[in-house]
Amino acid sequence: MKSPIEPFRIKVVEPVKLLDRAERNRMIREAGFNVFKLPAEAIFIDLLTDSGTSAMSDNQWAGMMTGDESYAGCRNFYHLKETVKDIFGFDFILPTHQGRAAENILFHTMAKKGDFIPSNIHFDTTRANIEFIGAVALDCVIDEGLDPELEHPFKGNMDPQKLEKVIEEHGKENIPLVALTITNNSGGGQPVSMQNIKEISQICKKHQLKLFIDAARFAENAYFIKLREEGYADKTIHAIVKEMFSYADGCWVSAKKDAMVNIGGFIALKDGDLFQKLQNLLILQEGFPTYGGLAGRDLEAVARGLRDVLHEDYLKYRIQHTAYLANLISEAGVPIVKPIGGHAVYIDAKKFLPHIPQSKFPGQALTVAMYREAGIRVVEIGSLMFAAKDPETGQWKYPELELVRLAIPRRVYTSSHLEYVAEAMVKIRDKKESLKGLKLVYEPPFLRHFTAEMEEID
Ligand code: P61
């Protein structure tokens, strides 16, 4: 595959440096084999996340200078509100400093201990926010979504029958909302079809349940709908997005992804009464409702980023860029999640490293190897992130998928950076039997992958 052409040119550059192998070995050991604990300056290519790592456009930077830093009623809030109304169709908006703050406000207001919240697959911050209040996060993705090799155009879809079963088993009075993550990050960045959003929405309506979309990567999802779903090839991204959200009662957005800002988020919704309730907690935890957790200049960058991302030439390049890396890795014989998702390439670590059992964190072993080999930072989305002890049996329960994610920051790395990453993967493939498992020496009570420390097992 030919490398895709970037529909932008570079105006500002940031030097990066590759430390030598001995230094990299020392750094990863000192970091307790946890890449979150590495200083970013020790990293050559950072594929830890596509969140908050985008390069903003000249238009966004220009907008930053128009920031109105008034405590109440700043003009950038009104610009963002109009933009959200135009793109998503929602009347009410609450700005937050990022996605998880939106989740915290939403679930603290809407859910209580003992409630159940179904989704296709909850992202880890969503799950943690739900569990923190004593509610239960349930994943209802279609079975195809759990098979890393199966080709299916919309592996992020929620299984309508699984949702109906959850409603029947737990009772609609114990389900404050149904969530849908688009694209489905923890399931490989896979999209959700329009048909599925519509069907889930109909089930919610039938049971008078609210449907909220976790919309961090809404534009990438819309582009997949345009490419893969019948009837959408000739529609604009704007029109597709509008239709997607017309089926929902609201959404929460980490603007650090598709809105292409370094910090920001919001909740948007239809219901004015619920908006009032959410606003109370917003004021307590984030700030006055017209700035939430953000400065006026940040609100402006979000408003402009939401428009930038709707450009089809950008989305075409974005999806091809991710596919370029995925194909190079796959052609090298490394198993990846298929079809290729929007924002990242996911390696199936369970299959790649069969000599390391999930109890010894094969995904993390590969993550450590990427840094050691080439100064590349990636993230494990597997047993380190998700394994949990069953409170009744005391047995460890491991996630179905043991993935390593190579997330691609937007508009940051060129195709030659991606070729370097693929070359490093080939070198690791050739010595994969020598990779060692890990054991935990420190773990916090939740979101443990951020601060856990490990040792290699000989
Ligand atoms: C990511 F290693 N995602 O994918 P916030 N919903 C969804 C997300 O993808 C998401 C949030 C809500 C990140 C950042 C991240 O363990 C990790 O703005 C679908 O990050 O608060 C975030 O949005 C939360 C990386 C988060 C991690 C947690 O890289």
Side-chain angles (χ1 to χ4, degrees):
M1 181 191 177
K2 211 163 87 22
S3 77
I5 183 86
E6 288 84 2
F8 49 81
R9 53 186 178 176
I10 296 163
K11 200 177 314 208
V12 177
V13 295
E14 181 184 3
V16 286
K17 187 169 176 285
L18 179 62
L19 300 182
D20 65 32
R21 191 176 287 267
E23 271 182 290
R24 298 199 297 271
N25 274 332
R26 183 176 60 80
M27 298 299 293
I28 194 72
R29 215 168 266 286
E30 280 177 15
F33 296 94
N34 185 342
V35 291
F36 283 97
K37 293 192 161 187
L38 287 171
E41 286 192 339
I43 288 147
F44 187 50
I45 295 190
D46 202 347
L47 306 183
L48 179 74
T49 179
D50 63 321
S51 178
T53 52
S54 301
M56 291 209 295
S57 64
D58 51 358
N59 181 41
Q60 284 176 291
W61 279 111
M64 299 281 281
M65 289 305 291
T66 70
D68 166 358
E69 305 308 341
S70 308
Y71 190 89
C74 73
R75 66 175 158 258
N76 317 98
F77 170 77
Y78 296 107
H79 182 203
L80 178 60
K81 186 172 151 76
E82 271 164 37
T83 308
V84 166
K85 170 76 185 167
D86 179 43
I87 295 176
F88 299 91
F90 296 126
D91 285 320
F92 300 100
I93 172 170
L94 301 110
T96 59
H97 78 274
Q98 62 183 85
R100 70 199 71 183
E103 289 166 352
N104 173 35
I105 288 167
L106 201 62
F107 295 121
H108 263 92
T109 307
M110 293 182 74
K112 60 179 188 319
K113 193 167 180 221
D115 278 350
F116 295 85
I117 297 163
S119 181
N120 39 358
I121 303 185
H122 290 278
F123 187 63
D124 66 347
T125 56
T126 321
R127 180 176 301 281
N129 267 300
I130 291 170
E131 288 174 355
F132 191 66
I133 55 170
V136 182
L138 297 170
D139 294 336
C140 301
V141 74
I142 54 171
D143 289 343
E144 291 90 331
L146 296 172
D147 180 345
E149 276 172 276
L150 195 104
E151 292 273 356
H152 181 292
F154 293 103
K155 276 170 98 171
N157 283 356
M158 189 189 273
D159 186 330
Q161 281 170 354
K162 287 186 190 168
L163 177 61
E164 288 277 20
K165 197 159 162 251
V166 165
I167 300 170
E168 199 188 309
E169 253 172 42
H170 300 294
K172 66 177 185 183
E173 61 287 359
N174 299 315
I175 301 176
L177 67 112
V178 174
L180 203 49
T181 316
I182 64 166
T183 54
N184 187 26
N185 192 3
S186 303
Q190 301 291 329
V192 177
S193 70
M194 191 73 86
Q195 178 58 35
N196 189 246
I197 301 176
K198 212 188 291 183
E199 207 174 336
I200 297 303
S201 161
Q202 280 162 357
I203 296 175
C204 289
K205 287 210 171 78
K206 187 173 79 186
H207 297 282
Q208 292 117 30
L209 293 173
K210 284 199 187 301
L211 174 63
F212 270 74
I213 297 181
D214 175 355
R217 299 177 181 86
F218 72 97
E220 289 172 9
N221 199 96
Y223 189 67
F224 280 121
I225 289 177
K226 186 177 170 92
L227 287 184
R228 298 181 184 169
E229 196 162 349
E230 212 185 312
Y232 291 93
D234 297 327
K235 295 225 159 97
T236 63
I237 298 296
H238 194 152
I240 296 172
V241 171
K242 200 65 169 276
E243 184 182 340
M244 281 158 60
F245 289 86
S246 70
Y247 302 120
D249 296 285
C251 67
W252 74 92
V253 177
S254 166
K256 298 170 72 175
K257 283 83 170 173
D258 271 355
M260 293 198 274
V261 292
N262 304 119
I263 195 75
F266 58 88
I267 302 170
L269 71 163
K270 283 180 186 158
D271 177 351
D273 292 337
L274 178 57
F275 167 74
Q276 292 290 352
K277 287 187 199 143
L278 293 166
Q279 197 168 247
N280 295 332
L281 205 52
L282 184 84
I283 293 172
L284 190 68
Q285 295 187 342
E286 290 284 283
F288 189 75
T290 59
Y291 73 84
L294 295 169
R297 55 179 173 270
D298 297 325
L299 297 170
E300 187 61 31
V302 175
R304 292 182 185 216
L306 288 172
R307 294 237 184 253
D308 270 14
V309 79
L310 300 179
H311 289 165
E312 234 177 281
D313 56 351
Y314 160 75
L315 285 168
K316 180 173 176 214
Y317 143 79
R318 168 75 175 155
I319 300 305
Q320 285 183 353
H321 199 228
T322 306
Y324 182 59
L325 176 62
N327 287 326
L328 291 175
I329 291 178
S330 178
E331 280 158 18
V334 177
I336 60 165
V337 173
K338 289 188 180 151
I340 299 154
H343 66 293
V345 180
Y346 293 74
I347 295 173
D348 181 351
K350 223 197 289 191
K351 190 158 181 217
F352 186 55
L353 302 174
H355 65 288
I356 306 179
Q358 270 188 298
S359 58
K360 294 182 183 162
F361 308 115
Q364 190 62 13
L366 178 57
T367 301
V368 168
M370 294 285 281
Y371 179 70
R372 275 197 168 134
E373 186 59 43
I376 298 163
R377 178 157 68 172
V378 297
V379 70
E380 188 254 23
I381 302 196
S383 40
L384 179 62
M385 197 180 266
F386 291 125
K389 236 182 206 161
D390 186 315
E392 276 158 29
T393 63
Q395 294 284 326
W396 280 100
K397 214 170 150 263
Y398 294 99
E400 195 83 26
L401 300 173
E402 180 78 25
L403 305 176
V404 168
R405 186 183 73 171
L406 285 60
I408 307 181
R410 293 167 183 78
R411 304 188 291 211
V412 171
Y413 292 116
T414 63
S415 299
S416 85
H417 286 117
L418 301 188
E419 286 157 13
Y420 172 86
V421 174
E423 280 164 23
M425 273 314 305
V426 170
K427 288 186 192 147
I428 293 171
R429 178 204 63 195
D430 291 344
K431 56 179 173 193
K432 69 188 182 99
E433 280 77 23
S434 67
L435 266 53
K436 294 176 183 163
L438 296 150
K439 65 169 191 239
L440 282 161
V441 291
Y442 164 71
E443 65 174 309
F446 45 82
L447 291 175
R448 70 173 176 186
H449 57 289
F450 283 137
T451 52
E453 289 179 17
M454 285 148 281
E455 274 174 6
E456 276 184 317
I457 306 168
D458 281 316

